[in-house]
């Protein structure tokens, strides 16, 4: 049914088109901080995303889950994260347009860390959602709607919790609350949002399949009429489904977990993740709709040799150091087993990524 709907619309579509890219958890462990530290004490992340930059930047709008606060020095990894502002600069330079901040680590530097994170975003002109100075600030900031190639798209962001840490000031963290989400979705529609993406921090860590709670909340979001659910938190990939919504009769995408974008985690399934690319168009009636989705897997290469740094590569990259090849193959094998069995209408993207230095990442 979905293929028929999209094919029919493709024959009648206006020329309007847009592409979105969503990435998973951008972590910052102590090993990453140590590897990034330069002789003068500064932290350099400039080479982190070079191989993926053409893919990210080619999207009309790119979104990443920043799973660290920008709380200022001293910088730290697990269990209480805090990253340097340069980390966000590297993400921006790679092509990301929006930082997601509602996650279980955002209060790792308590309320002051949240306030400094917001100030850092503002000073770097880095759009964000998920945390706010107070209720009034949230009201001014939301609904967060961007016009992307003529499409008015709302982005919302929520987390299941903050590791038991509670706020002590008027700051606002967007926790998962069905009434709050319903209100936000309604207000986004009132403000003209044609499509809504709910980016949600949920699920069980290290589980390759969604749990009953995720599926229940996904059904609720479908009933609210949102078009996209983009999940994070498990640190491993989970399936993706592009179906015709039983509520709206239009394409509806659920991505249960994109896994890690970049981290220093070392178990097989946490060494990488996926990015999902979503294509938008308009039907014969002029209404915005999803016209397709595909995924791309990424793999983290840790420092190789003295003075090396972490870097993120397409999982098929021929640049990967041979010492990591067996780990890459194990990660890809496990992820593909899940995607091949459980994905619905979200295939692997095999188009070559061509870098400006003419190095092509082959199929």
């Amino acid at each position: 049914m979905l293929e028929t709907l999209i094919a029919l619309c493709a024959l009648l579509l206006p020329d309007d088109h847009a592409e979105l890219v969503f990435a998973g958890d951008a972590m910052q462990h102590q090993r990453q901080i140590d590897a990034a530290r330069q002789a003068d004490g500064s932290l350099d992340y400039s080479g982190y995303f070079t191989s993926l930059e053409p893919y990210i930047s080619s999207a009309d709008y790119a979104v990443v889950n920043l799973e660290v606060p920008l709380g200022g020095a001293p910088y730290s990894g697990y269990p209480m994260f805090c990253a340097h502002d340069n980390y966000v600069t590297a993400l921006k330079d790679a092509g990301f347009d929006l930082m997601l901040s509602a996650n279980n680590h955002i209060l790792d530097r308590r309320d002051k860390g949240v306030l400094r994170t917001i100030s850092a975003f503002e000073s770097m002109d880095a759009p964000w959602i998920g945390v706010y100075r107070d209720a009034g600030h949230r009201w001014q900031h939301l609904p967060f709607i961007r016009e992307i190639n003529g499409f008015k798209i709302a982005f919302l962001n929520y987390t299941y919790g903050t590791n038991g840490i509670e706020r002590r000031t008027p700051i606002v963290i967007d926790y998962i609350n069905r009434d709050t989400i319903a209100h936000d979705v309604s207000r986004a529609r009132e403000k003209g949002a044609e499509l809504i993406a709910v980016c949600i921090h949920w699920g069980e860590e290290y589980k390759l399949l969604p749990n009953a709670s995720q599926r229940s909340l996904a059904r609720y979001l479908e009933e609210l009429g949102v078009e996209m659910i983009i999940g994070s938190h498990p640190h491993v990939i989970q399936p993706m489904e592009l179906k015709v919504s039983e509520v709206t009769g239009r394409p509806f995408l659920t991505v249960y977990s994109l896994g890690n974008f970049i981290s220093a985690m070392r178990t097989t399934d946490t060494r990488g993740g996926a990015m999902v690319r979503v294509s938008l168009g308009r039907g014969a009636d002029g209404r915005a709709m999803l016209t397709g989705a595909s995924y791309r897997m990424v793999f983290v290469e840790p420092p190789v040799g003295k003075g090396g740094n972490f870097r993120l590569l397409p999982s098929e990259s021929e640049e990967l150091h041979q010492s990591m090849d067996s780990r890459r193959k194990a990660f890809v094998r496990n992820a593909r087993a899940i995607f091949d069995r459980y994905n619905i209408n979200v295939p692997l993207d095999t188009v070559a990524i061509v870098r400006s230095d003419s190095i092509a990442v082959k199929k």
Side-chain angles (χ1 to χ4, degrees):
M1 181 178 178
L2 177 67
E3 294 87 345
T4 302
L5 175 62
I6 291 175
L8 178 61
C9 289
L11 296 174
L12 303 170
L13 283 178
D15 293 333
D16 295 15
H17 180 77
E19 304 244 327
L20 310 178
V21 161
F22 296 90
D25 303 335
M27 309 293 294
Q28 185 71 172
H29 290 90
Q30 188 62 49
R31 289 174 61 219
Q32 292 170 265
I33 296 170
D34 294 342
R37 197 175 304 281
Q38 305 300 294
D40 62 0
S42 64
L43 296 175
D44 179 21
Y45 304 102
S46 59
Y48 257 39
F49 310 111
T50 302
S51 293
L52 269 300
E53 183 179 337
Y55 180 84
I56 299 164
S57 296
S58 68
D60 297 297
Y61 203 76
V63 181
V64 63
N65 175 48
L66 181 68
E67 198 158 346
V68 287
L70 305 176
Y75 308 109
S76 56
Y78 181 83
M80 305 300 283
F81 290 98
C82 182
H84 193 285
D85 296 358
N86 285 353
Y87 191 45
V88 169
T89 300
L91 288 166
K92 283 191 63 184
D93 289 347
F96 285 106
D97 302 289
L98 178 62
M99 309 292 154
L100 305 175
S101 295
N103 56 65
N104 60 305
H105 285 290
I106 189 59
L107 274 174
D108 281 2
R109 284 292 174 90
R110 304 306 195 274
D111 298 36
K112 288 184 179 179
V114 170
L115 291 171
R116 190 193 178 282
T117 298
I118 293 170
S119 295
F121 285 150
E122 291 174 335
S123 67
M124 290 185 284
D125 192 25
W128 86 96
I129 52 175
V131 296
Y132 313 96
R133 290 190 174 92
D134 52 37
H137 185 217
R138 184 184 192 274
W139 180 260
Q140 294 171 355
H141 204 78
L142 296 181
F144 184 89
I145 299 175
R146 287 295 180 267
E147 186 166 324
I148 303 166
N149 282 11
F151 296 90
K152 294 189 72 172
I153 305 172
F155 297 89
L156 302 171
N157 181 209
Y158 309 93
T159 180
Y160 74 93
T162 45
N163 294 340
I165 304 172
E166 297 182 359
R167 67 181 178 88
R168 297 180 180 275
T169 66
I171 64 166
V172 175
I173 311 293
D174 273 341
Y175 293 102
I176 295 171
N177 177 287
R178 295 193 179 198
D179 291 339
T180 299
I181 296 173
H183 179 269
D184 291 344
V185 168
S186 177
R187 189 159 177 253
R189 295 293 190 201
E190 290 172 3
K191 296 295 183 179
E194 299 179 276
L195 301 169
I196 297 177
V198 175
C199 303
I200 197 156
H201 212 65
W202 62 355
E204 295 179 63
E205 290 185 324
Y206 318 121
K207 300 294 184 181
L208 292 167
L209 293 175
N211 60 24
S213 176
Q214 285 171 278
R215 292 194 178 278
S216 173
L217 186 53
R219 285 193 296 271
Y220 179 73
L221 293 171
E222 181 180 0
E223 291 169 0
L224 291 180
V226 309
E227 285 78 18
M228 292 168 273
I229 302 172
I230 308 296
S232 60
H233 175 62
H235 300 302
V236 297
I237 60 91
Q238 290 180 348
M240 310 173 184
E241 303 171 353
L242 179 58
K243 300 179 178 181
V244 173
S245 169
E246 296 178 2
V247 178
T248 66
R250 301 173 69 78
F252 167 67
L253 174 68
T254 304
V255 176
Y256 284 104
S257 174
L258 288 169
N260 283 334
F261 185 55
I262 191 165
S263 78
M265 292 186 177
R266 301 188 230 196
T267 58
T268 297
D269 296 326
T270 63
R271 286 186 176 272
M275 295 186 288
V276 64
R277 191 178 198 96
V278 184
S279 298
L280 310 178
R282 293 190 183 276
D285 57 2
R287 290 180 61 189
M289 61 178 287
L290 278 59
T291 59
S294 61
Y295 73 89
R296 188 134 216 153
M297 286 189 289
V298 297
F299 184 80
V300 180
E301 181 183 80
V304 178
K306 186 177 180 180
N309 204 346
F310 284 78
R311 63 175 182 162
L312 190 66
L313 298 170
S315 65
E316 71 275 18
S317 176
E318 295 180 353
E319 299 177 63
L320 185 75
H321 193 273
Q322 61 182 9
S323 65
M324 295 301 296
D325 193 49
S326 62
R327 293 179 175 86
R328 183 255 304 271
K329 288 178 178 176
F331 163 73
V332 170
R333 182 176 59 250
N334 288 4
R336 285 295 301 271
I338 293 296
F339 288 148
D340 289 349
R341 182 173 181 182
Y342 295 102
N343 269 21
I344 299 174
N345 297 318
V346 185
L348 175 68
D349 179 358
T350 60
V351 177
I353 298 175
V354 181
R355 286 176 21 193
S356 58
D357 56 9
S358 298
I359 296 176
V361 180
K362 299 180 180 179
K363 175 178 175 180

